[in-house]
Each structure stands twice: as C-alpha cells, then as structure tokens.
Amino acid sequence: MADAWLTSLITKTPQEGFELAITLSRRGVKYTQPDVSKLKELRPTYAESADSLTAASHVVAVNFQTVAAANNYWR
Amino acid sequence: MADAWLTSLITKTPQEGFELAITLSRRGVKYTQPDVSKLKELRPTYAESADSLTAASHVVAVNFQTVAAANNYWR
Amino acid sequence: MADAWLTSLITKTPQEGFELAITLSRRGVKYTQPDVSKLKELRPTYAESADSLTAASHVVAVNFQTVAAANNYWR
Amino acid sequence: MADAWLTSLITKTPQEGFELAITLSRRGVKYTQPDVSKLKELRPTYAESADSLTAASHVVAVNFQTVAAANNYWR
Amino acid sequence: MADAWLTSLITKTPQEGFELAITLSRRGVKYTQPDVSKLKELRPTYAESADSLTAASHVVAVNFQTVAAANNYWR
Amino acid sequence: MADAWLTSLITKTPQEGFELAITLSRRGVKYTQPDVSKLKELRPTYAESADSLTAASHVVAVNFQTVAAANNYWR
C-alpha cells in the first residue's frame, strides 16, 4: 500500500491501543480485499451475524496483545 | 468511541482481570456493530449455541492473556 | 458475578493448573450464558461433536498458556 | 480427574515436548467428554475430515508453545 | 521451496512489518497449495466472503505478533 | 512415533524456521491420522478450499511463533 498508515505501535492510552488493534484488524482485511465498495457490500451481512462479530472481536484481541506488549501494557 | 471505557489494564484481583477481559471481548464486538438494539437481537441465538459460546470463551481467553500479563499475573 | 471464584492463578502442580484452565474456559462461557439449566441442555450436543470438543480443548490450551506463565511453568 | 497425568512440563527432547502437547490436547477433550467409548465412536469421522485434522493440529500447536516455553525451547 | 524469500524478520517500520506478516500468511498457504493458478482461481470466492476475510486477517495478526516481537515492537 | 523427527527447534535461517513450522503443523495432523494413504486422499479437497488453506496457514503461523522465539528471532 502506498499510504503510510502505521508508523508506530505506541499509543497514549490503552483505549487508543485497542482502537489501533481495530485498525490493524481492518487493514488485515483490506490487504486481501482492497476494493472498498466490495467491503461495504459485505458489511451488513457479517455485522448482523453473532459468529462473525465474535470472529472479528477475536482478531482484535490478537492484535491488542501485540499493541499492549509494545506499550509495556501502559504500566 | 467518544466515551473513555479503558483507562488501565491493571486490576486488583485475577477475577476483576477476567471480567475486564470480558469487557474487552464485548467492546471488540461493539466497535464492529455499534447498534446496541441489533446486538440484543442477536444475543438469544448465540447464547443458545454451544459453539458460539465456546467461540466467545475463546476471545475472553485471548484477552485474559493480555490482562494477566499486564498485571504480572497478580503474583 | 457475585461469588469470588478466581483469587489466584498460582497452583501447586501443572495438573491443577490445567484444571484451573478448564475452570477459566467454563467461566468464559458462563459469563455469556449464566443460565445453568440452558448450559446443561446444550451439553449433550456439543459433547458428542468432535469439532466442538476440539474447539473446547483449544480454549483450554489458551487459558493453560496463561496459567502456566503465571506459575513460571512450575520449573 | 483422580489420576496424576501431568506432573511436569519439562521433557528431555523437543519431540517429547511435542508429544506432551498432544497429550494436553487430548486431555482438553477428555475433561469435556470423559466417556472413552464415546470418544472412540467420534474418532473415525473427524480423523477423516481434513478440517478437523487441521483444527486438532492447531490445538497441538498452542499447547506446544506452552511446553516449548517451559523448556526454554531446549536451547 | 527453492527460492530464498525470508532472510530476516527485521523491518524498518511497523508497516513494513505488517506487510511481512501478510507475506508470511500467504506463504503459509502456498506451501500447502503451490499451484499458483489454483490459488488465483480460489481468490474471488474468499475475497468476497466476510468470514474468509476475517480468517485471513486473523492469520496476519498472528504473524504480526511474531514480526513485532522480532523487531522489539520498533520501540 | 518411533522415528526421531524433531531433535531441535534451532534453524540457520528464518526461512528454514518457517519450513520447520510447516513440518510441525503436518506432524500435528499425522499424530491424529497416521494413515498416510488416508491423508493423501484428503489432500485434494482441502488444498482446493480457500478456507482450509487459510486454516492451514493459521497453524503454521502459531508454530512459527514458537520456532522464531526459540531462535531469538534470528537477531
């Protein structure tokens, strides 16, 4: 990808770290399906499936592990 | 999200840490589907599916790893 | 939850640690579906599905990572 | 469980560690479904499904992480 | 594989690290299915399935953990 | 298993480490289904399913975490 979207894993607060984990999760999708209109098309279906939402939350949890470790858990 | 819901990963007890892991897992869902009424609608179905419950417990386990490490395992 | 069910991640033996990991996995389910009668109802189906059992063992494995690290691997 | 099946995570070789990871994965199943005859009944179906075998290998991989860390990677 | 495609886990920036995680995820697929024409054939189906995209993002997240740790989180 | 197939997690390069992760993933399958002819039979189906390939890559990613940590990330 041409744009610089990830210059650091360091965030000021845990919440910002969680939100960065969400960005990482979405980027993981976008590298596979870069067509944004296609992604918008898919959204309603999976945002209304409990299992899809759990799977999305799982990916965020894995990325949050990385961000939290990078920030030494904001201790 | 506008509200500050995650200011620290530090908890007093392991059990509070586990409950924070549950909060993180639910927030992971809510960032994808912010419509609370929709989430309530989905709840009965997945709360009565054994596989959905196992998947939910899996996400909690991943988030609990993060919280437990942050708290140096409450040693 | 009102009761105190998790006061420490430290166990005397690896086996007790593994059993704590099972407790954590079950609690992860119970926070989502607190109705015990419902859980008992679901049990026969998933206890007889190989894939559900593998998924349950997966969650235990993730929680066991946490408990084992907490105990410095009982070295 | 009454029997002592896990007294240490330390193994002499990585291969023994991998085999311990397999034991842990199977025990994770057995705590949920302790009826051995039922487990034998389920075996043919999932041992002939590629996706079930991949899922089984996934659980072994997670448990192997734990055992390998416990053994300081046999360095 | 004959070609040398992975000589280091060290990257200059987190974003390059994320992109390396994507390469690792794709290589994990390619070792199992080395027939590139077959992979291209499969692409449209899974790039239009929300759940497949989430699963792909999950693998990237796991590989990103490895790359981020290798780079000491670019701190 | 009778043969010694895993004597060390140390590899000379990251790529060899990745290939060891693939070996570990396959062995995880083989301990559950040791019948090689059966495994060959299953291969075409899952090697042509995008989701199965992603799941296989996921297991490789988990095992690669272990191998990379064992090698101190080849730093």
Side-chain angles (χ1 to χ4, degrees):
Chain A
M1 284 185 183
D3 63 315
W5 62 275
L6 184 63
T7 54
S8 170
L9 295 179
I10 306 306
T11 69
K12 261 177 291 180
T13 65
Q15 185 165 333
E16 278 179 35
F18 197 82
E19 284 159 4
L20 177 54
I22 286 164
T23 302
L24 292 168
S25 308
R26 286 182 184 158
R27 284 283 171 166
V29 166
K30 218 174 155 186
Y31 274 93
T32 305
Q33 177 52 276
D35 180 343
V36 179
S37 69
K38 182 60 72 186
L39 290 175
K40 277 193 185 146
E41 211 179 296
L42 292 171
R43 201 179 157 76
T45 347
Y46 97 95
E48 296 184 17
S49 151
D51 289 338
S52 302
L53 289 169
T54 302
S57 180
H58 197 152
V59 181
V60 173
V62 174
N63 279 317
F64 186 55
Q65 287 195 328
T66 309
V67 176
N71 287 279
N72 199 27
Y73 304 99
W74 300 274
R75 279 191 288 233
Chain B
M1 285 186 183
D3 63 314
W5 62 275
L6 183 64
T7 54
S8 170
L9 295 179
I10 306 306
T11 69
K12 262 179 290 180
T13 65
Q15 185 166 333
E16 279 180 37
F18 197 81
E19 285 159 4
L20 178 54
I22 286 164
T23 301
L24 292 168
S25 308
R26 286 181 185 158
R27 284 282 171 167
V29 166
K30 219 174 152 184
Y31 275 94
T32 305
Q33 177 53 277
D35 180 342
V36 179
S37 69
K38 184 58 74 185
L39 290 175
K40 278 192 185 146
E41 210 179 297
L42 292 172
R43 201 180 156 78
T45 348
Y46 98 95
E48 295 185 18
S49 150
D51 288 339
S52 302
L53 289 169
T54 302
S57 180
H58 197 152
V59 182
V60 173
V62 174
N63 279 316
F64 186 55
Q65 287 195 330
T66 310
V67 176
N71 287 278
N72 199 26
Y73 304 98
W74 301 275
R75 278 191 289 233
Chain C
M1 286 187 181
D3 63 314
W5 62 274
L6 183 65
T7 55
S8 171
L9 295 179
I10 306 306
T11 69
K12 262 179 292 181
T13 65
Q15 186 166 332
E16 279 179 36
F18 197 81
E19 284 159 5
L20 178 54
I22 286 164
T23 301
L24 292 167
S25 308
R26 286 180 185 159
R27 285 281 172 167
V29 167
K30 219 173 151 186
Y31 274 93
T32 306
Q33 176 51 276
D35 180 342
V36 179
S37 69
K38 183 59 75 187
L39 290 175
K40 277 192 186 146
E41 211 179 296
L42 292 171
R43 202 179 156 76
T45 348
Y46 98 94
E48 295 184 18
S49 150
D51 289 340
S52 302
L53 290 168
T54 301
S57 179
H58 197 150
V59 182
V60 173
V62 174
N63 279 316
F64 187 54
Q65 288 194 329
T66 309
V67 176
N71 287 278
N72 200 25
Y73 304 98
W74 300 273
R75 279 190 289 231
Chain D
M1 285 186 179
D3 62 316
W5 62 273
L6 184 64
T7 55
S8 171
L9 294 178
I10 306 306
T11 69
K12 261 179 292 181
T13 65
Q15 186 166 333
E16 278 179 35
F18 196 81
E19 284 160 4
L20 177 54
I22 286 163
T23 301
L24 292 167
S25 307
R26 286 180 186 159
R27 284 281 171 165
V29 167
K30 220 175 152 185
Y31 274 92
T32 306
Q33 176 50 276
D35 180 343
V36 179
S37 69
K38 183 60 73 187
L39 290 175
K40 277 193 185 143
E41 213 179 294
L42 292 171
R43 202 179 155 75
T45 347
Y46 98 93
E48 295 184 18
S49 150
D51 289 338
S52 301
L53 289 168
T54 301
S57 180
H58 197 151
V59 182
V60 172
V62 175
N63 279 314
F64 187 54
Q65 288 194 329
T66 310
V67 176
N71 286 278
N72 200 24
Y73 304 98
W74 300 273
R75 278 190 291 231
Chain E
M1 285 185 181
D3 63 315
W5 62 274
L6 184 64
T7 54
S8 171
L9 294 179
I10 306 306
T11 69
K12 261 178 292 180
T13 65
Q15 186 165 333
E16 279 180 35
F18 197 82
E19 284 159 5
L20 178 53
I22 286 163
T23 301
L24 292 167
S25 307
R26 285 180 186 160
R27 284 283 171 164
V29 167
K30 218 174 153 186
Y31 274 92
T32 305
Q33 178 52 276
D35 181 342
V36 179
S37 69
K38 181 60 72 186
L39 290 175
K40 279 194 184 143
E41 212 179 296
L42 292 171
R43 202 180 157 76
T45 348
Y46 98 95
E48 296 184 17
S49 151
D51 289 338
S52 302
L53 289 169
T54 301
S57 180
H58 197 152
V59 181
V60 173
V62 174
N63 279 315
F64 187 55
Q65 287 194 329
T66 310
V67 176
N71 287 278
N72 199 23
Y73 304 98
W74 300 275
R75 280 191 287 234
Chain F
M1 284 185 179
D3 62 315
W5 62 273
L6 184 63
T7 54
S8 171
L9 294 179
I10 306 306
T11 69
K12 262 178 292 182
T13 65
Q15 186 166 333
E16 279 180 35
F18 196 81
E19 284 160 4
L20 177 53
I22 286 163
T23 301
L24 292 167
S25 308
R26 286 179 186 161
R27 284 281 171 165
V29 167
K30 219 174 152 185
Y31 274 92
T32 305
Q33 177 51 277
D35 181 342
V36 179
S37 68
K38 182 60 72 186
L39 291 175
K40 278 193 183 144
E41 212 178 296
L42 293 171
R43 202 181 156 74
T45 347
Y46 98 94
E48 295 184 18
S49 151
D51 289 338
S52 302
L53 289 168
T54 301
S57 180
H58 197 151
V59 182
V60 172
V62 174
N63 279 315
F64 187 54
Q65 286 195 330
T66 310
V67 175
N71 287 278
N72 199 23
Y73 304 97
W74 300 274
R75 278 191 288 234

